[in-house]
Amino acid sequence: IMEQKNTHMEHLEDIVFDGGVDGARQSIQFLIKLRDSLSGYSKQKINATIKWDGAPAIFVGKDPSDGQFFVAKKGIFNKTPKVYKTDAEVDADTSGDLSVKLKTALKKLKGMQFDGVLQGDFLYTASDLKTATVGGVKYITFHPNTIVYAVDVNSDFGKKVKNAKIGVVWHTTYKGKTLPDMKASFGANIQGLQKPSTVWMDDATYKDTSGSATMTEKETAAVTASLSAAGSTF
């Protein structure tokens, strides 16, 4: 559980610099747990998320003060929260591609029923989808930030992406009686959410495969040696 607002998801290696001693210790301990999970002898499940390279960060939910659905950027954490409940409010504060994305989210995600506020990474709208052929295989591509994602056009995933008007991955949940007082919790449970065909969404959770997707004994030894070296340097 993390009560602070999640305005930036830090990479594991950067925690060493941003968090100092505590950050370095946290990074090493996480990697030890991940090693144990992939070595097949973990005594408990480990929670990890995939870092989707989306943009912009998007927040959606119902304003506790009036029950109205909204979309928002990181301005949701301002002293006076900045949220958008109508297309006119989006147009008054944004322009260009950002305005299109927020209005699309407002229209396509409004029917979702859930408690609290969800935060995620915006991946694409229909106009962002392109096609490319790599190695004789045709892909649908989208390029939200630094990474270009490519999905086989004939796969089940590719068909869902092609039919969707918006794509988003959720990674954080917020709950509270007012927007400024909301507390963040790691992960987003979207299993019960309505998912129309025009929306592709997922959570960022890496599905735990302890006991099935495992490293070999040699691979485990190599990772352990690297962790030991990191520990000595630390």
Side-chain angles (χ1 to χ4, degrees):
I1 303 296
M2 51 181 186
E3 293 188 351
Q4 69 272 23
K5 304 299 187 290
N6 187 13
T7 57
H8 178 67
M9 296 188 74
E10 198 61 88
H11 289 205
L12 188 65
E13 66 274 17
D14 293 332
I15 298 175
V16 174
F17 300 100
D18 294 338
V21 171
D22 290 339
R25 184 181 292 112
Q26 180 183 355
S27 296
I28 292 172
Q29 289 176 343
F30 177 83
L31 290 171
I32 288 173
K33 291 180 180 179
L34 187 60
R35 176 206 59 188
D36 290 348
S37 176
L38 294 175
S39 299
Y41 57 83
S42 175
K43 294 181 180 180
Q44 61 184 21
K45 289 186 176 182
I46 180 171
N47 293 321
T49 60
I50 299 169
K51 177 63 174 73
W52 287 80
D53 189 43
I58 184 174
F59 300 78
V60 301
K62 289 184 178 179
D63 187 336
S65 67
D66 59 16
Q68 291 189 52
F69 182 82
F70 69 85
V71 299
K73 303 177 297 177
K74 294 177 181 178
I76 188 176
F77 298 132
N78 292 350
K79 187 173 182 180
T80 300
K82 181 173 287 187
V83 299
Y84 311 110
K85 300 173 183 177
T86 66
D87 285 357
E89 290 178 342
V90 174
D91 288 333
D93 191 56
T94 65
S95 61
D97 184 61
L98 177 59
S99 177
V100 171
K101 282 181 165 53
L102 291 175
K103 286 190 289 187
T104 301
L106 188 61
K107 179 180 179 180
K108 298 298 181 181
L109 302 177
K110 197 168 187 176
M112 295 195 308
Q113 299 294 325
F114 59 92
D115 294 327
V117 172
L118 293 177
Q119 177 184 354
D121 283 315
F122 210 118
L123 297 181
Y124 66 85
T125 56
S127 62
D128 297 317
L129 299 179
K130 312 295 181 184
T131 58
T133 301
V134 181
V137 179
K138 190 174 182 179
Y139 292 92
I140 297 173
T141 66
F142 47 96
H143 190 183
N145 199 359
T146 304
I147 296 173
V148 178
Y149 290 95
V151 183
D152 187 337
V153 70
N154 293 315
S155 67
D156 289 340
F157 184 20
K159 293 174 183 176
K160 291 177 181 178
V161 169
K162 184 178 180 180
N163 291 331
K165 302 299 183 184
I166 181 175
V168 62
V169 173
W170 307 110
H171 55 69
T172 306
T173 303
Y174 295 85
K175 290 190 176 181
K177 293 183 178 180
T178 67
L179 290 175
D181 294 331
M182 284 193 166
K183 306 299 182 183
S185 60
F186 182 69
N189 184 1
I190 64 170
Q191 295 302 312
L193 294 186
Q194 180 182 357
K195 303 173 187 176
S197 60
T198 54
V199 176
W200 179 82
M201 69 173 74
D202 198 1
D203 60 61
T205 304
Y206 175 79
K207 306 326 183 231
D208 192 295
T209 55
S210 302
S212 57
T214 58
M215 296 188 293
T216 64
E217 183 176 355
K218 183 177 180 180
E219 290 168 339
T220 301
V223 172
T224 298
S226 294
L227 286 169
S228 295
S232 297
T233 302
F234 172 57

